[in-house]
Every structure is written in structure tokens, then in C-alpha cells.
């Protein structure tokens, strides 16, 4: 499962990247045209839910869940 976090704030991106590094979570960071993206890998659904909940509280963020449409 892959969880993607996107932001347009470089400051927020840097803080989240440091947070994930401290938690020893496997992720890939990238930046493209002012949009910063963090892709988190190798977590179960439970681990992902727990990490996102803790992180949103820690940084006082809101979360928006986007579902992926299945290809026909």
C-alpha cells in the first residue's frame, strides 16, 4: 500500500519529511513545479491509519482522502 502526502508549502514538506525520518518510515520525497510529494511505503492499513492520525495531530493538519478509481 502506498500513501501519498502532497503540499505546496516547502516548510510543511520539510517538517513532515523530518518527522517520517525520525519514525524510520520508508518514504520517497519529490518536488515538481512547487508541489511537494511524499510517498510512504510498506505500511499496513492499521499502521498507515495510526501514523496519519498521529501526524495530523502533531502538525495540526487536516486530511483529505482521495479514492483511486478502478480501471475498467
Amino acid at each position: 500500500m502506498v500513501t501519498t502526502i502532497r503540499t505546496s508549502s516547502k516548510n510543511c514538506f520539510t517538517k513532515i519529511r523530518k518527522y517520517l525520518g525520525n519514525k524510520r518510515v520508508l518514504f520517497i520525497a519529490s518536488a515538481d513545479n512547487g508541489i511537494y510529494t511524499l510517498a510512504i511505503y510498506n505500511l499496513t492499513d492499521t499502521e498507515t491509519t495510526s501514523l496519519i492520525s498521529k501526524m495530523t495531530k502533531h502538525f495540526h493538519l487536516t486530511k483529505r482522502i482521495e479514492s483511486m478509481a478502478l480501471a475498467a
Side-chain angles (χ1 to χ4, degrees):
M1 180 176 183
V2 177
T3 302
T4 305
I5 300 171
R6 290 187 188 95
T7 183
S8 58
S9 168
K10 185 174 183 177
N11 187 35
C12 185
F13 171 77
T14 303
K15 288 180 180 180
I16 294 172
R17 187 175 64 184
K18 185 177 179 181
Y19 180 84
L20 293 175
N22 288 339
K23 296 291 183 186
R24 299 182 191 264
V25 174
L26 177 62
F27 67 95
I28 295 176
S30 64
D32 186 37
N33 293 329
I35 301 297
Y36 302 95
T37 305
L38 295 153
I40 303 169
Y41 295 95
N42 294 336
L43 295 180
T44 64
D45 289 338
T46 306
E47 291 170 330
T48 300
T49 302
S50 176
L51 176 69
I52 297 300
S53 293
K54 289 176 184 176
M55 192 168 51
T56 53
K57 287 178 185 176
H58 181 81
F59 292 112
H60 306 284
L61 302 172
T62 58
K63 56 185 170 183
R64 179 178 63 181
I65 300 172
E66 297 178 8
S67 62
M68 300 293 289
L70 297 174

